[in-house]
Amino acid sequence: MRRSGNMNDLGSILRRVLMRSGLREEVMEVDIVRAFPKLFPGLIAQSAKPISFKNGRLYLKVSNSVVRQELKMRERELLKKIENHLGQRSVERIMFV
């Protein structure tokens, strides 16, 4: 159990170092991609996949136009969940592709 706590500490330290080293967007992209299925379980995770994060824009590949329209209407909700997960507002906009 103690070892797990040390690994979490190491992960946290590594994340901070990467954030400061100019790899902020890359770290955010990895965080978002890894957390996406947990943040949006079910139909959203099955129908949309994060593919890129650049300049404050998260690019989601969606399965069809119906899903795109539904997620576009829920964009604020999606942004809020991502912001809560990351602990900061990094994603300004979601682009649906």
Side-chain angles (χ1 to χ4, degrees):
M1 205 66 156
R2 180 159 172 92
R3 185 175 219 179
S4 176
N6 290 340
M7 292 304 287
N8 288 337
D9 293 342
L10 180 60
S12 177
I13 291 168
L14 181 58
R15 186 175 190 280
R16 284 187 299 227
V17 168
L18 289 172
M19 293 286 278
R20 291 182 187 148
S21 70
L23 297 172
R24 181 179 180 278
E25 284 194 341
E26 288 81 357
V27 172
M28 291 292 168
E29 183 174 342
V30 169
D31 281 352
I32 293 167
V33 169
R34 290 180 76 196
F36 197 82
K38 294 174 189 166
L39 291 173
F40 307 105
L43 187 59
I44 293 177
Q46 292 171 0
S47 303
K49 304 284 182 223
I51 56 171
S52 179
F53 176 64
K54 296 192 185 329
N55 300 320
R57 293 181 179 189
L58 174 63
Y59 293 84
L60 288 182
K61 181 175 182 170
V62 294
S63 58
N64 60 58
S65 60
V66 175
V67 171
R68 177 182 295 148
Q69 185 62 31
E70 175 68 25
L71 295 180
K72 185 68 180 159
M73 289 189 304
R74 296 176 59 186
E75 184 175 5
R76 282 188 167 171
E77 174 190 340
L78 300 176
L79 288 169
K80 189 66 177 168
K81 274 191 165 184
I82 294 168
E83 179 181 332
N84 288 340
H85 170 74
L86 296 174
Q88 61 185 341
R89 185 170 184 187
S90 299
V91 180
E92 300 292 328
R93 189 152 182 226
I94 299 175
M95 308 301 291
F96 303 98
V97 295

